[in-house]
Structure formats: C-alpha cells, structure tokens
C-alpha cells in the first residue's frame, strides 16, 4: 500500500500536466484536424486493420467537435459501411494531399442483421484518408469536395 499511494499521486500530477497541449494529445492516438473554415476537430486516429474495421461500431454518439480519422497505408478506392454503427455520420474521403475527393453526408446507420446486406459508400476516387464526423457536421461547417484539410 505504501508504494501504491505515491505512484498514484505521481500519475495524477502527470495527467494534470497534460492540460490540453495538442502535441501531447497526438502521442495518444488523437490528432487535431483543421477544417477549411478554421474549425478544429479532435479525431481518433485509426491505422491498424482491426481498429479500422471496427471504427464507430457500437458507439452511441459522436460529439460535434470530435471525429475519427482513418489512415490507409496506400491510396485506393476505399469503401465504407455502416454495419452496427448507431448514429448517422458524414464520411469524408481525402487523397494523399489531404484534398477532399468525396463526401457521403449524413450516412444512415444500417439496420440489417447481416453485414453483407448493408450498403457500401465511397470508393468513387482514390483516397488515402477518411474522416468521419457526426452526421450533418460537414454541411454545418461548410466542408466541400476540393477543399484541403490540415492534420
């Protein structure tokens, strides 16, 4: 017990020092995405195949200032689905230069019991990155194809 308390207190001090510094946040799988109008989204970064496959499945919400950024190892015609996703999402495909090449706005959850019955979205252009936002956020923030995102 004697070793536990000092270690616990030390961890609290370390966490308190993290404050909100974007560089510290990025070390833990989160990246700030700056939209064309200057708005910032804090996005979870997905790079591992198993994390990318799970994505937003089973989550009850996605706050307006949050997102999920998928980083594919190579550009391609990456298609996404909404199987077991509970909330509508804006799905935004970006090329290797981070230019928006496709948007699926307010993409609805799939209510089918089999994944194979869910529609696929995207894949109309080569993309390296995919950003998911809460449904309606892209339109609300003026995000359009051809624009560049910064992350």
């Amino acid at each position: 017990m004697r070793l536990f308390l000092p270690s616990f207190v030390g961890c609290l001090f370390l966490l308190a020092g993290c404050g909100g510094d974007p560089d510290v946040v990025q070390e833990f799988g989160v990246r700030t995405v700056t939209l064309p109008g200057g708005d910032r989204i804090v996005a979870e970064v997905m790079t591992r195949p198993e994390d990318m496959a799970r994505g937003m499945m089973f989550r009850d919400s996605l706050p307006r200032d949050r997102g999920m950024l998928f980083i594919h190892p190579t550009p391609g015609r990456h298609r996404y689905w909404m199987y077991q996703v509970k909330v509508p999402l804006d799905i935004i495909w970006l090329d290797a230069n981070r230019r928006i090449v496709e948007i699926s706005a307010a993409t609805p959850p799939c209510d089918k019991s089999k994944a194979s019955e869910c529609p696929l979205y995207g894949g109309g252009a080569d993309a390296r990155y995919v950003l998911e936002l809460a449904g309606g956020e892209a339109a609300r923030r003026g995000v359009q194809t051809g624009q560049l995102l910064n992350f």
Side-chain angles (χ1 to χ4, degrees), residues 5-131:
L5 186 57
S7 297
F8 179 73
V9 172
C11 286
L12 287 177
F13 282 117
L14 283 173
L15 289 172
C18 290
D21 181 348
D23 294 328
V24 172
V25 172
Q26 286 185 8
E27 291 178 24
F28 293 99
V30 179
R31 190 174 288 189
T32 300
V33 178
T34 304
L35 303 177
D39 290 343
R40 292 177 176 219
I41 301 292
V42 176
E44 293 176 57
V45 176
M46 301 293 158
T47 56
R48 298 180 339 165
E50 58 271 24
D51 294 333
M52 293 174 79
R54 184 178 51 253
M56 283 292 299
M57 288 179 168
F58 315 112
R59 296 191 186 195
D60 293 321
S61 65
L62 181 60
R64 291 171 60 175
D65 63 341
R66 301 288 178 167
M68 191 170 283
L69 179 64
F70 299 83
I71 302 176
H72 292 274
T74 58
R77 305 238 169 179
H78 304 291
R79 302 187 77 193
Y80 279 60
W81 62 2
M82 296 290 285
Y83 179 64
Q84 296 184 334
V85 175
K86 297 180 176 184
V87 296
L89 298 173
D90 289 341
I91 308 173
I92 303 166
W93 287 263
L94 302 103
D95 66 15
N97 297 317
R98 301 177 181 163
R99 183 174 305 280
I100 299 171
V101 295
E102 189 172 359
I103 299 174
S104 178
T107 312
C110 178
D111 61 0
K112 306 294 183 189
S113 60
K114 293 182 183 177
S116 61
E117 296 175 349
C118 292
L120 297 173
Y121 299 92
D126 282 345
R128 170 99 197 275
Y129 309 98
V130 177
L131 176 66

